[in-house]
Amino acid sequence: MAAGQFEELTLEKLETFLLRLADDRRTGKLQIQGEGARGGRVDLREGKIVSVDSPFSSETVGEIARKLGFLQIQDVQKAVDALSRSENAGKQLGDILLEEKLLTPQGIAACLQYQAESAIHSMIGFHGRISFLPGHV
């Protein structure tokens, strides 16, 4: 995709880009910038998806964990309460779910995969451009 050029994003283009970044074990942000709209972002750490933000998909890891049967509503509330404590400033909900032993690493991975797939599918047909910004996420 040429720099500055907007074109329709397809599942194949996004998957190819993500697979290449996974194979190279890259860390950084995959930006999907939309034409006249807020874009999406996929954060990768050593090639693995750690978070996803899409203007078309808004389910949190906690909501997904409930949907997939990993958590009850009181578990999500316990994690949200822990997240609001000052010693947890800057942490992600997934980090808290692990620290509080509410979810296993495999459960978090399943939720992040579900979240990523939903967000990525929500961006299919979106007119935009893809770029990768290496660095800490």
Side-chain angles (χ1 to χ4, degrees), residues 56-77:
F56 310 110
S57 178
S58 61
E59 283 185 302
T60 67
V61 170
E63 292 167 332
I64 293 166
R66 284 195 57 224
K67 180 188 278 188
L68 297 179
F70 290 115
L71 297 175
Q72 299 297 318
I73 187 70
Q74 60 270 27
D75 298 325
V76 176
Q77 188 59 52

Side-chain angles (χ1 to χ4, degrees), residues 43-58:
D43 293 341
L44 298 139
R45 192 172 298 133
E46 295 183 8
K48 294 183 178 164
I49 295 170
V50 293
S51 70
V52 178
D53 179 37
S54 166
F56 310 110
S57 178
S58 61

Side-chain angles (χ1 to χ4, degrees), residues 4-5 17 19 27 43 54 56-58 62 71 73 80 85 91 101 104 114 118 131 135:
Q5 179 181 349
F17 215 103
L19 286 171
T27 295
D43 293 341
S54 166
F56 310 110
S57 178
S58 61
L71 297 175
I73 187 70
V80 169
R85 292 194 299 259
K91 290 185 180 177
K101 297 187 183 346
T104 64
Y114 181 97
S118 295
S131 59

